[in-house]
mmCIF file of all heavy atoms in Angstrom:
data_model
loop_
_atom_site.group_PDB
_atom_site.id
_atom_site.type_symbol
_atom_site.label_atom_id
_atom_site.label_comp_id
_atom_site.label_asym_id
_atom_site.label_seq_id
_atom_site.Cartn_x
_atom_site.Cartn_y
_atom_site.Cartn_z
ATOM 1 N N ILE A 319 43.054 112.447 38.731
ATOM 2 C CA ILE A 319 44.448 112.618 38.322
ATOM 3 C C ILE A 319 45.387 112.072 39.385
ATOM 4 O O ILE A 319 46.363 111.365 39.088
ATOM 5 C CB ILE A 319 44.740 114.101 38.044
ATOM 6 C CG1 ILE A 319 43.953 114.577 36.811
ATOM 7 C CG2 ILE A 319 46.243 114.323 37.841
ATOM 8 C CD1 ILE A 319 43.928 116.081 36.647
ATOM 9 N N GLY A 320 45.089 112.385 40.639
ATOM 10 C CA GLY A 320 45.943 111.916 41.729
ATOM 11 C C GLY A 320 45.999 110.413 41.830
ATOM 12 O O GLY A 320 47.043 109.830 42.163
ATOM 13 N N ARG A 321 44.902 109.727 41.533
ATOM 14 C CA ARG A 321 44.885 108.272 41.606
ATOM 15 C C ARG A 321 45.719 107.650 40.485
ATOM 16 O O ARG A 321 46.303 106.574 40.654
ATOM 17 C CB ARG A 321 43.446 107.770 41.597
ATOM 18 C CG ARG A 321 42.713 108.137 42.870
ATOM 19 C CD ARG A 321 41.280 107.661 42.909
ATOM 20 N NE ARG A 321 40.617 108.125 44.121
ATOM 21 C CZ ARG A 321 40.690 107.531 45.314
ATOM 22 N NH1 ARG A 321 41.406 106.427 45.458
ATOM 23 N NH2 ARG A 321 40.059 108.022 46.358
ATOM 24 N N VAL A 322 45.792 108.333 39.357
ATOM 25 C CA VAL A 322 46.712 107.891 38.301
ATOM 26 C C VAL A 322 48.148 108.172 38.696
ATOM 27 O O VAL A 322 49.040 107.324 38.552
ATOM 28 C CB VAL A 322 46.353 108.596 36.971
ATOM 29 C CG1 VAL A 322 47.475 108.425 35.956
ATOM 30 C CG2 VAL A 322 45.050 108.052 36.414
ATOM 31 N N TRP A 323 48.397 109.360 39.188
ATOM 32 C CA TRP A 323 49.741 109.773 39.611
ATOM 33 C C TRP A 323 50.344 108.776 40.601
ATOM 34 O O TRP A 323 51.506 108.380 40.474
ATOM 35 C CB TRP A 323 49.653 111.170 40.218
ATOM 36 C CG TRP A 323 50.849 111.592 41.000
ATOM 37 C CD1 TRP A 323 51.983 112.185 40.535
ATOM 38 C CD2 TRP A 323 51.033 111.443 42.416
ATOM 39 N NE1 TRP A 323 52.864 112.412 41.575
ATOM 40 C CE2 TRP A 323 52.306 111.966 42.732
ATOM 41 C CE3 TRP A 323 50.252 110.920 43.444
ATOM 42 C CZ2 TRP A 323 52.801 111.983 44.035
ATOM 43 C CZ3 TRP A 323 50.741 110.934 44.738
ATOM 44 C CH2 TRP A 323 52.015 111.463 45.018
ATOM 45 N N ARG A 324 49.532 108.360 41.596
ATOM 46 C CA ARG A 324 50.075 107.495 42.658
ATOM 47 C C ARG A 324 50.436 106.115 42.140
ATOM 48 O O ARG A 324 51.253 105.412 42.736
ATOM 49 C CB ARG A 324 49.079 107.390 43.819
ATOM 50 C CG ARG A 324 47.832 106.593 43.501
ATOM 51 C CD ARG A 324 46.692 106.916 44.448
ATOM 52 N NE ARG A 324 46.925 106.456 45.784
ATOM 53 C CZ ARG A 324 46.104 105.622 46.446
ATOM 54 N NH1 ARG A 324 45.032 105.142 45.846
ATOM 55 N NH2 ARG A 324 46.347 105.262 47.685
ATOM 56 N N GLU A 325 49.851 105.690 40.999
ATOM 57 C CA GLU A 325 50.216 104.416 40.388
ATOM 58 C C GLU A 325 51.501 104.516 39.572
ATOM 59 O O GLU A 325 52.281 103.565 39.496
ATOM 60 C CB GLU A 325 49.086 103.916 39.481
ATOM 61 C CG GLU A 325 47.789 103.586 40.201
ATOM 62 C CD GLU A 325 47.926 102.403 41.145
ATOM 63 O OE1 GLU A 325 48.813 101.565 40.925
ATOM 64 O OE2 GLU A 325 47.132 102.326 42.112
ATOM 65 N N ILE A 326 51.721 105.687 38.961
ATOM 66 C CA ILE A 326 52.827 105.831 38.015
ATOM 67 C C ILE A 326 54.132 106.220 38.714
ATOM 68 O O ILE A 326 55.216 105.753 38.317
ATOM 69 C CB ILE A 326 52.459 106.866 36.933
ATOM 70 C CG1 ILE A 326 51.255 106.361 36.137
ATOM 71 C CG2 ILE A 326 53.637 107.139 36.007
ATOM 72 C CD1 ILE A 326 50.671 107.383 35.190
ATOM 73 N N VAL A 327 54.059 107.050 39.738
ATOM 74 C CA VAL A 327 55.276 107.545 40.393
ATOM 75 C C VAL A 327 56.196 106.407 40.845
ATOM 76 O O VAL A 327 57.406 106.438 40.576
ATOM 77 C CB VAL A 327 54.919 108.480 41.562
ATOM 78 C CG1 VAL A 327 56.116 108.675 42.485
ATOM 79 C CG2 VAL A 327 54.465 109.837 41.043
ATOM 80 N N PRO A 328 55.708 105.369 41.528
ATOM 81 C CA PRO A 328 56.627 104.298 41.942
ATOM 82 C C PRO A 328 57.296 103.588 40.772
ATOM 83 O O PRO A 328 58.458 103.165 40.879
ATOM 84 C CB PRO A 328 55.714 103.340 42.726
ATOM 85 C CG PRO A 328 54.539 104.158 43.132
ATOM 86 C CD PRO A 328 54.334 105.134 42.026
ATOM 87 N N ALA A 360 44.057 102.237 38.994
ATOM 88 C CA ALA A 360 43.689 103.557 39.520
ATOM 89 C C ALA A 360 42.191 103.699 39.721
ATOM 90 O O ALA A 360 41.742 104.317 40.696
ATOM 91 C CB ALA A 360 44.197 104.642 38.575
ATOM 92 N N PRO A 364 39.317 101.668 44.385
ATOM 93 C CA PRO A 364 40.314 102.635 44.863
ATOM 94 C C PRO A 364 40.856 102.270 46.241
ATOM 95 O O PRO A 364 40.098 101.953 47.153
ATOM 96 C CB PRO A 364 39.542 103.959 44.910
ATOM 97 C CG PRO A 364 38.367 103.750 44.011
ATOM 98 C CD PRO A 364 38.033 102.305 44.118
ATOM 99 N N ALA A 365 42.169 102.284 46.324
ATOM 100 C CA ALA A 365 42.795 102.065 47.625
ATOM 101 C C ALA A 365 42.513 103.260 48.522
ATOM 102 O O ALA A 365 42.318 104.382 48.066
ATOM 103 C CB ALA A 365 44.301 101.881 47.452
ATOM 104 N N GLU A 366 42.479 102.994 49.818
ATOM 105 C CA GLU A 366 42.207 104.073 50.764
ATOM 106 C C GLU A 366 43.337 105.093 50.726
ATOM 107 O O GLU A 366 44.517 104.737 50.724
ATOM 108 C CB GLU A 366 42.072 103.500 52.177
ATOM 109 C CG GLU A 366 41.777 104.558 53.224
ATOM 110 C CD GLU A 366 41.707 103.975 54.622
ATOM 111 O OE1 GLU A 366 41.825 102.736 54.736
ATOM 112 O OE2 GLU A 366 41.542 104.736 55.572
ATOM 113 N N LEU A 367 42.962 106.353 50.701
ATOM 114 C CA LEU A 367 43.963 107.414 50.755
ATOM 115 C C LEU A 367 44.487 107.535 52.174
ATOM 116 O O LEU A 367 43.737 107.441 53.141
ATOM 117 C CB LEU A 367 43.351 108.741 50.310
ATOM 118 C CG LEU A 367 42.953 108.809 48.836
ATOM 119 C CD1 LEU A 367 42.140 110.054 48.576
ATOM 120 C CD2 LEU A 367 44.183 108.798 47.962
ATOM 121 N N VAL A 368 45.785 107.741 52.292
ATOM 122 C CA VAL A 368 46.413 107.912 53.594
ATOM 123 C C VAL A 368 46.791 109.375 53.736
ATOM 124 O O VAL A 368 47.655 109.874 53.011
ATOM 125 C CB VAL A 368 47.668 107.021 53.735
ATOM 126 C CG1 VAL A 368 48.315 107.235 55.092
ATOM 127 C CG2 VAL A 368 47.295 105.568 53.527
ATOM 128 N N ARG A 505 51.861 109.862 52.423
ATOM 129 C CA ARG A 505 51.684 110.007 50.981
ATOM 130 C C ARG A 505 50.399 110.779 50.723
ATOM 131 O O ARG A 505 49.896 111.483 51.592
ATOM 132 C CB ARG A 505 51.603 108.645 50.305
ATOM 133 C CG ARG A 505 52.842 107.777 50.451
ATOM 134 C CD ARG A 505 52.676 106.507 49.649
ATOM 135 N NE ARG A 505 52.500 106.787 48.237
ATOM 136 C CZ ARG A 505 51.879 105.973 47.385
ATOM 137 N NH1 ARG A 505 51.354 104.855 47.828
ATOM 138 N NH2 ARG A 505 51.771 106.287 46.118
ATOM 139 N N GLU A 506 49.869 110.596 49.526
ATOM 140 C CA GLU A 506 48.532 111.029 49.167
ATOM 141 C C GLU A 506 48.252 112.479 49.569
ATOM 142 O O GLU A 506 47.385 112.757 50.386
ATOM 143 C CB GLU A 506 47.470 110.116 49.804
ATOM 144 C CG GLU A 506 47.831 108.648 49.919
ATOM 145 C CD GLU A 506 48.366 108.048 48.640
ATOM 146 O OE1 GLU A 506 47.971 108.485 47.550
ATOM 147 O OE2 GLU A 506 49.222 107.165 48.724
ATOM 148 N N TRP A 527 42.446 113.483 50.826
ATOM 149 C CA TRP A 527 43.710 114.132 50.475
ATOM 150 C C TRP A 527 44.081 115.166 51.526
ATOM 151 O O TRP A 527 43.232 115.891 52.032
ATOM 152 C CB TRP A 527 43.587 114.854 49.133
ATOM 153 C CG TRP A 527 43.383 113.966 47.950
ATOM 154 C CD1 TRP A 527 42.183 113.650 47.372
ATOM 155 C CD2 TRP A 527 44.376 113.285 47.202
ATOM 156 N NE1 TRP A 527 42.377 112.809 46.312
ATOM 157 C CE2 TRP A 527 43.717 112.569 46.176
ATOM 158 C CE3 TRP A 527 45.760 113.204 47.291
ATOM 159 C CZ2 TRP A 527 44.399 111.778 45.259
ATOM 160 C CZ3 TRP A 527 46.450 112.422 46.376
ATOM 161 C CH2 TRP A 527 45.763 111.725 45.376
#
Side-chain angles (χ1 to χ4, degrees):
I319 293 167
R321 292 180 184 277
V322 166
W323 165 87
R324 70 200 291 237
E325 296 294 335
I326 297 171
V327 164
E366 180 182 356
L367 293 170
V368 179
R505 298 184 61 205
E506 325 311 329
W527 294 96

